[in-house]
Amino acid sequence: MADTLFAKIIDRQIPADIVYEDDLCLAFRDINPQAPAHVLLVPKKPIDMLASAQAEDQALLGHLLLAAGQIARQLKVESAFRVVINNGESSGQSVFHLHLHILAGRPFRWPPG
Ligand code: 5GP
């Protein structure tokens, strides 16, 4: 997999407003926020999209959800936040390194657009 924008952020080649990091993942604020709080959570392992994840990634995927909850608590938005994964261009994915959007701070409608 070619180095994506997010791989460069993980490697500190491109700056980002980092809010959380551990051995397996990194979270930073979205450059074009769609809510008052908008954080991107990425695994350090380069998986291009959710559909490419394999059984060997089970623990990593669980880790990402636990980290999302921890980040929400850290940002003090744990009572109301939305987690989104875009998978594939038509779903809105533009960076092909798996990432969770963590959005909070405004009302969210359902169904999503
Ligand atoms: P996607 O559309 O792939 O689900 O989400 C990619 C996200 O990356 C978008 O919300 C976009 O605003 C964000 N993004 C694009 N370029 C940069 C950047 O250079 N820095 C940061 N922090 N976010 C970026």
Side-chain angles (χ1 to χ4, degrees):
M1 208 174 105
D3 256 13
T4 63
L5 174 66
F6 293 166
K8 289 178 180 153
I9 289 176
I10 291 164
D11 289 343
R12 307 303 203 266
Q13 293 172 32
I14 293 177
D17 184 358
I18 293 169
V19 299
Y20 176 86
E21 181 171 24
D22 64 30
D23 287 352
L24 298 176
C25 61
L26 183 75
F28 49 89
R29 292 192 188 273
D30 197 294
I31 205 167
N32 181 24
Q34 301 302 312
H38 186 175
V39 166
L40 300 171
L41 173 59
V42 306
K44 291 185 176 176
K45 177 178 177 179
I47 299 169
D48 63 349
M49 58 174 84
L50 184 61
S52 303
Q54 300 293 309
E56 68 194 34
D57 300 314
Q58 182 172 336
L60 175 60
L61 296 179
H63 182 85
L64 289 169
L65 286 181
L66 287 173
Q70 185 169 331
I71 291 162
R73 290 192 296 276
Q74 183 185 314
L75 299 176
K76 305 200 183 310
V77 299
E78 69 272 23
S79 63
F81 66 99
R82 181 170 284 184
V83 176
V84 173
I85 299 175
N86 295 323
N87 183 100
E89 235 170 69
S90 306
S91 81
Q93 186 174 9
S94 60
V95 179
F96 285 79
H97 181 127
L98 174 64
H99 51 282
L100 285 66
H101 295 259
I102 302 167
L103 300 133
R106 66 167 170 85
F108 294 103
R109 278 180 289 172
W110 194 262

